[in-house]
Amino acid sequence: MPKHLPDITDFTIGIIGMGDMGKMYAKRFSNAGWRVNACDREENYESLKAELVEHTNIDVLENGHLVSRASNYIIYSVEAEMIDRVVAKYGPSTRLNAIVGGQTSCKTPEIAAFEKHLPQDVQIVSCHSLHGPKIDPRGQPLVIIKHHRASQESIQLVRKVLSCLGSQAVELTAQEHDRITADTQAVTHAAFLSMGTAWHANAQFPWEMNRYVGGIENVKINLTLRIYSSKWHVYAGLAILNPSAKEQIRQYATSVSELFKLMIHGKREEFEQRVKKAGAEVFKPGRGEELLLHDDVLNQFSLGELPKERRPNSHLSLLAMVDCWWKLGSVPYDHMICSTPLFRLWLGVTQYLFRKPDLLDEVIRIAIDDNSFRQDDLEFMVAARGWSDCVSFGNFDSYRDRFERIQKFFRPRFSDATRVGNEMIKAILESTGSDGMQPTQRKVNGNV
C-alpha cells in the first residue's frame, strides 16, 4: 500500500442508499474505524438516524447532495433500475477529486450512469459483494471494477477501505463482471424462481410432502425459499438490465421445454443421449472430479421430516441446468472465484447428480416411465418460460407482481428457511474452502 494514501482518520466514506446491503457496508466500515456519511430517501431520514444512533462513526445526512459534498469515496447502493436517475440527481454535487463507485449487481448501466453524470475530475472504482446482506462477507467473493477513469492509487485506496470486509477480492471490467454474474447468478435464480412458481401453481408446500424431503430436495427447497424471502429488485435488476442474462435465461427455458417434450413423448433413447452428452461436456475429466456436496451435508438440512425411504425424482430443473450450460458453452467451474454461495450449492447438487451414474440412470428412468412428478414438471416448464418472457419484455412491474404473489404464499416459512439455509451454506464453505473451489482449481486460479 503506498504510504501517501490517506489515513483512516482523514478519509470519509459516503453511502447513498441504506437498504440491507448499504447498512451492512456502513456498519462494517464504521466498526473498522472509518467515518461514514450515509443517506436514504429523504422521508427515511429520521427513522434511519434513530436506527443508527449507537453507531457513532456513522453520520446520517438528509440527502445525497450532502453525502456527495462531504465524502472522499462515495458508494451508490441503490436498485439497479434506479441507478441512472439517482446518479443524475446527486452526481453533480460530488466532491472535487473524489472516488465514486456503485454496489449494484449489474455494472453496464451503473458505469454508463457514472460516465454520463459525474464531473470529469471524479475517479470511478466500483465494487460488488457477491452475497446477500445476511451472509458473513469474510471469505466471500468481492469484485472490484476496473475503469479507465481510475488511477492505480485510487484502486489501492478502495481495496484498503474494502479490506475490512475480509472478502476475496478480484479485479474485473464491467463487461467481464456482467458476463460472469449472468453465468453464475441470473440463470440460477431463474431455476429457483421457476420451482417456487410451480409449487405455488400446484398449491404445494413441498416440505410437507415426503417426495420433496431429503437429499437434493433439501437444497432445492431451502434455496428457493431463500430467494423468495429477499427483495424482488435484487433479482429483477440483474436479470433485466444485464445484457448477457436474457440470452441465458431464455436458453434455460428452452432446455426445460425441450427435455420435457422428450419426456412426455417417451423418447427414452434421445432423452438419455442428450442428458448424458450434456453431462459429459460440462463435467469433463479433470473438471469437478471432487464432489462439492455429500450425503451427510444434503440430508441434515431439512424443513420437513425425513422419510424412511428416498422417493426418486425426475429432477428436470437439474437436467435442464446442465443442458443449458452445455448449449451455451459455459463452464461453471471457470467462475468459482466469483461465485455466490447459492451458485456453489446449485453447482454442487448438479455435480452430485451427474457424478453418480446409478442416480443419473434412475432419474432418466423416472423422467420417462414414472408420471408421479409429471404435473409438477409441467408447471415448472410453464414457469420457466413465463420468467424468461418476463425478463425478455424488460417489465419491472410485471416481474415484481409475479415475485411478490409467490413470496406471499411462502412467507410463513421464511425464518426457518433462512436459518437452515445459512447453516447449509456454512457447511459447504467449510467442506470446500471459503472460496468454494476444490483444491485442484485453487492451484490453477489462485486466491486474490
Side-chain angles (χ1 to χ4, degrees):
M1 187 71 62
K3 293 182 180 179
H4 57 278
L5 288 183
D7 187 76
I8 196 169
T9 59
D10 57 10
F11 190 85
T12 302
I13 302 164
I15 299 180
I16 297 175
M18 289 292 282
D20 293 337
M21 285 300 290
K23 289 176 184 175
M24 188 275 283
Y25 264 46
K27 291 175 183 178
R28 293 275 176 173
F29 295 153
S30 171
N31 292 339
W34 296 100
R35 289 183 293 119
V36 178
N37 294 322
C39 75
D40 201 67
R41 292 184 175 91
E42 293 193 29
E43 62 266 27
N44 297 334
Y45 171 65
E46 293 295 342
S47 60
L48 183 63
K49 194 169 183 178
E51 179 183 349
L52 299 174
V53 66
E54 295 183 1
H55 295 270
T56 56
N57 272 5
I58 302 177
D59 190 8
V60 177
L61 305 179
E62 291 186 58
N63 56 57
H65 293 297
L66 299 176
V67 171
S68 296
R69 294 302 296 167
S71 307
N72 303 98
Y73 175 38
I74 300 112
I75 300 173
Y76 284 81
S77 185
V78 300
E79 302 169 25
E81 179 193 11
M82 302 287 292
I83 189 68
D84 185 77
R85 71 189 81 171
V86 176
V87 178
K89 184 175 182 179
Y90 300 127
S93 297
T94 304
R95 181 175 180 165
L96 185 69
N97 296 321
I99 306 170
V100 173
Q103 226 292 101
T104 67
S105 57
C106 185
K107 294 303 177 188
T108 298
E110 177 184 288
I111 296 298
F114 290 157
E115 291 176 341
K116 181 178 180 181
H117 301 298
L118 292 178
Q120 287 300 308
D121 59 90
V122 172
Q123 304 229 11
I124 300 173
V125 185
S126 266
C127 64
H128 183 202
S129 290
L130 292 170
H131 58 85
K134 298 175 184 177
I135 296 290
D136 187 336
R138 289 175 295 182
Q140 296 298 332
L142 168 66
V143 179
I144 295 174
I145 303 298
K146 299 180 293 185
H147 190 269
H148 63 86
R149 280 175 57 181
S151 66
Q152 191 58 40
E153 181 179 319
S154 295
I155 294 173
Q156 287 290 84
L157 178 53
V158 169
R159 277 182 168 271
K160 180 180 180 180
V161 170
L162 297 175
S163 65
C164 66
L165 300 175
S167 300
Q168 298 272 353
V170 59
E171 292 183 16
L172 299 172
T173 66
Q175 292 74 23
E176 290 169 338
H177 168 276
D178 285 355
R179 179 66 192 182
I180 289 174
T181 53
D183 283 346
T184 59
Q185 294 188 56
V187 74
T188 305
H189 298 158
F192 289 111
L193 289 170
S194 299
M195 277 185 252
T197 304
W199 289 327
H200 172 256
N202 285 329
Q204 294 175 342
F205 295 107
W207 55 86
E208 296 178 353
M209 308 171 68
N210 284 346
R211 62 181 180 170
Y212 278 119
V213 177
I216 292 175
E217 309 299 348
N218 288 345
V219 176
K220 291 160 67 174
I221 292 172
N222 284 318
L223 296 188
T224 296
L225 293 184
R226 189 178 189 86
I227 284 181
Y228 277 107
S229 69
S230 301
K231 295 178 179 177
W232 68 274
H233 66 78
V234 174
Y235 307 105
L238 191 151
I240 293 174
L241 298 177
N242 189 327
S244 300
K246 292 182 180 180
E247 172 196 357
Q248 301 200 9
I249 293 171
R250 186 183 306 113
Q251 178 56 57
Y252 182 69
T254 300
S255 292
V256 171
S257 181
E258 291 178 352
L259 288 174
F260 183 73
K261 290 173 184 177
L262 293 175
M263 289 164 55
I264 61 175
H265 286 292
K267 296 184 177 181
R268 176 191 296 273
E269 184 176 352
E270 186 177 348
F271 182 82
E272 182 172 0
Q273 286 180 353
R274 178 163 175 167
V275 166
K276 291 190 173 181
K277 184 174 182 180
E281 287 296 319
V282 173
F283 301 105
K284 287 181 177 178
R287 182 190 293 166
E289 296 281 1
E290 303 166 50
L291 289 177
L292 292 170
L293 292 175
H294 298 275
D295 290 320
D296 58 338
V297 174
L298 289 170
N299 285 323
Q300 64 180 297
F301 302 107
S302 176
L303 289 177
E305 185 177 346
L306 285 171
K308 294 181 180 179
E309 295 184 5
R310 181 180 60 83
R311 181 78 177 272
N313 190 330
S314 58
H315 289 307
L316 177 58
S317 60
L318 297 174
L319 300 181
M321 188 76 260
V322 176
D323 188 85
C324 174
W325 285 331
W326 168 50
K327 292 292 185 180
L328 291 169
S330 177
V331 180
Y333 295 100
D334 286 351
H335 306 314
M336 290 298 282
I337 193 63
C338 293
S339 63
T340 62
L342 189 148
F343 175 75
R344 285 171 238 165
L345 283 166
W346 190 228
L347 175 58
V349 291
T350 57
Q351 178 206 46
Y352 178 90
L353 171 58
F354 278 81
R355 286 294 185 199
K356 289 179 172 284
D358 290 343
L359 178 59
L360 184 60
D361 286 340
E362 175 189 84
V363 167
I364 292 171
R365 177 181 62 79
I366 294 297
I368 298 297
D369 298 335
D370 191 329
N371 290 329
S372 300
F373 287 87
R374 195 72 83 228
Q375 177 178 328
D376 295 10
D377 288 338
L378 171 61
E379 292 292 355
F380 180 75
M381 181 197 70
V382 172
R385 295 176 69 166
W387 280 109
S388 177
D389 288 344
C390 184
V391 170
S392 295
F393 296 150
N395 189 304
F396 280 90
D397 290 337
S398 175
Y399 193 105
R400 180 176 187 173
D401 179 67
R402 289 172 62 89
F403 188 97
E404 291 186 340
R405 277 189 290 110
I406 298 156
Q407 183 181 61
K408 183 178 180 181
F409 179 73
F410 288 118
R411 191 180 301 280
R413 293 306 294 268
F414 284 163
S415 60
D416 288 343
T418 298
R419 175 183 54 79
V420 174
N422 285 342
E423 293 171 357
M424 181 183 292
I425 288 170
K426 181 181 178 181
I428 188 174
L429 295 183
E430 288 176 347
S431 66
T432 61
S434 62
D435 54 10
M437 291 190 293
Q438 300 162 351
T440 51
Q441 292 172 293
R442 196 173 289 107
K443 291 177 183 177
V444 174
N445 294 339
N447 286 334
V448 179

